[in-house]
Amino acid sequence: MSSFAQHPAVAATAAQIAAEAQAKNGTTAAAAAAGNALARSSSPANSVVSNAGLAWPSVGTETRLTESAQAREERLGRIAGAVQTILENVGEDNAREGLLKTPMRYAKALMFFTKGYEESLTDIINEAVFEEDHDEMVIVRDIDVFSLCEHHMVPFTGKIHIGYLPDKKVLGLSKLARIAEMFSRRLQVQERLTKQVALAIDEVLKPRGVAVIMQASHMCMCMRGVQKPGSSTVTSCMLGAFRHDPKTREEFLKLTIG
């Protein structure tokens, strides 16, 4: 059982669920309910970093990360085959010169677009956390971000602004951009991407506060559906002092989006 599951608050919640189930359905249901509660509590969703150093890994992440070169080629082949099927079903001719290599090109491109699944937060940080007596705001702004909407698998692109209030520790500046890159190179929604970046920085540094704002244009809104090119979506995640102190939040907003 994980240390998270052994936390007193988690154990108390599980015990309460068990007691309620016992009163209603008997001992068997109680045991099952308690087990389910602990399983939910110890799931990867409750922790930023897995034992392998991966941040919120998906179900196939470790397989993709550790597969052999031959297995990687077989994976590319399966994706390329699926792309051929798509091309056929939109009415195209797979034998046409311009499309002959498209399935494999797209397969390789998709693996690059989603390379964030294979990246380790531990490796990205690479011990670039330094003791420093600095307690003023640190901001890296206008970080370009490219991601794929998980609903339609079309791009959304924009900029992300990251700030934190150190608590005797600072992070190498390039690592903030690398963290944003890692989470953006996955199938995403902007809301989750923004929050994952903030929580990862909070986990790594344990600062007094973290703030992340993202502004992006979504091709699923521009090219299809409502078809509104030029529209922009803004999301934010404020932790610690940025959430609780209006003046701190106001300073960050003024320095990033004006």
Side-chain angles (χ1 to χ4, degrees), residues 43-98:
S43 68
N46 292 292
S47 177
V48 173
V49 184
S50 73
N51 292 335
L54 301 168
W56 288 293
S58 190
V59 291
T61 295
E62 291 196 32
T63 300
R64 177 172 163 175
L65 180 63
T66 59
E67 67 187 0
S68 65
Q70 180 180 347
R72 175 58 60 101
E73 288 301 314
E74 291 172 354
R75 181 186 295 271
L76 287 171
R78 291 193 297 272
I79 297 172
V83 174
Q84 282 187 320
T85 300
I86 291 171
L87 291 174
E88 290 170 2
N89 283 277
V90 298
E92 261 295 355
D93 176 10
N94 278 313
R96 186 161 63 80
E97 182 182 11

Side-chain angles (χ1 to χ4, degrees), residues 35-176:
N36 290 339
L38 289 174
R40 288 194 301 270
S41 301
S42 58
S43 68
N46 292 292
S47 177
V48 173
V49 184
S50 73
N51 292 335
L54 301 168
W56 288 293
S58 190
V59 291
T61 295
E62 291 196 32
T63 300
R64 177 172 163 175
L65 180 63
T66 59
E67 67 187 0
S68 65
Q70 180 180 347
R72 175 58 60 101
E73 288 301 314
E74 291 172 354
R75 181 186 295 271
L76 287 171
R78 291 193 297 272
I79 297 172
V83 174
Q84 282 187 320
T85 300
I86 291 171
L87 291 174
E88 290 170 2
N89 283 277
V90 298
E92 261 295 355
D93 176 10
N94 278 313
R96 186 161 63 80
E97 182 182 11
L99 294 178
L100 284 176
K101 296 182 179 180
T102 295
M104 185 54 71
R105 286 195 196 102
Y106 185 79
K108 292 177 179 179
L110 187 61
M111 292 296 285
F112 178 80
F113 296 155
T114 60
K115 67 186 179 71
Y117 287 120
E118 301 178 36
E119 293 177 335
S120 160
L121 182 60
T122 303
D123 290 344
I124 283 176
I125 299 304
N126 194 26
E127 300 182 357
V129 177
F130 308 105
E131 299 286 338
E132 190 65 44
D133 187 20
H134 180 77
D135 61 0
E136 295 295 328
M137 199 177 297
V138 177
I139 297 174
V140 177
R141 51 174 289 176
D142 295 323
I143 301 168
D144 288 319
V145 171
F146 306 89
S147 192
L148 287 179
C149 164
E150 68 180 33
H151 300 143
H152 302 96
M153 289 185 67
V154 294
F156 64 93
T157 66
K159 294 185 181 294
I160 196 166
H161 317 295
I162 302 172
Y164 69 92
L165 280 171
D167 187 9
K168 307 298 183 182
K169 293 180 182 180
V170 297
L171 182 63
L173 295 177
S174 69
K175 304 304 182 183
L176 298 174

